[in-house]
Amino acid sequence: MAFFAPIPLIRKNHIIARLQETGAFSAETSKTLAEAGVINPNGFKRITERLVKTGAIKRAGEGRYYL
């Protein structure tokens, strides 16, 4: 039997990795998810909101995020 990681965990890791790779570490260097290269940047909005709510990522306004 194969084990599949839950989609929220995969999505979280993908978003965080892309923000790291593009240097989004402050409000000044924040990126949209599309700019960061996130696959399907407008999908899974609830997961993105949960990441903001838990502090895993921060919102810089106008759809921009950073770590």
Side-chain angles (χ1 to χ4, degrees):
M1 180 187 328
F3 173 79
F4 296 97
I7 289 174
L9 178 60
I10 293 169
R11 184 71 175 181
K12 173 187 175 185
N13 291 341
H14 179 65
I15 290 171
I16 290 172
R18 295 296 181 218
L19 290 173
Q20 281 180 323
E21 290 170 8
T22 58
F25 297 110
S26 69
E28 292 78 25
T29 60
S30 63
K31 308 280 187 233
T32 66
L33 296 181
E35 290 171 336
V38 171
I39 297 169
N40 192 10
N42 296 318
F44 305 101
K45 290 183 181 188
R46 291 177 71 190
I47 295 171
T48 303
E49 289 304 315
R50 181 173 292 160
L51 292 175
V52 172
K53 185 177 180 180
T54 61
I57 63 175
K58 295 178 177 53
R59 183 178 283 121
E62 298 184 28
R64 303 178 74 78
Y65 300 92
Y66 66 98
L67 300 173

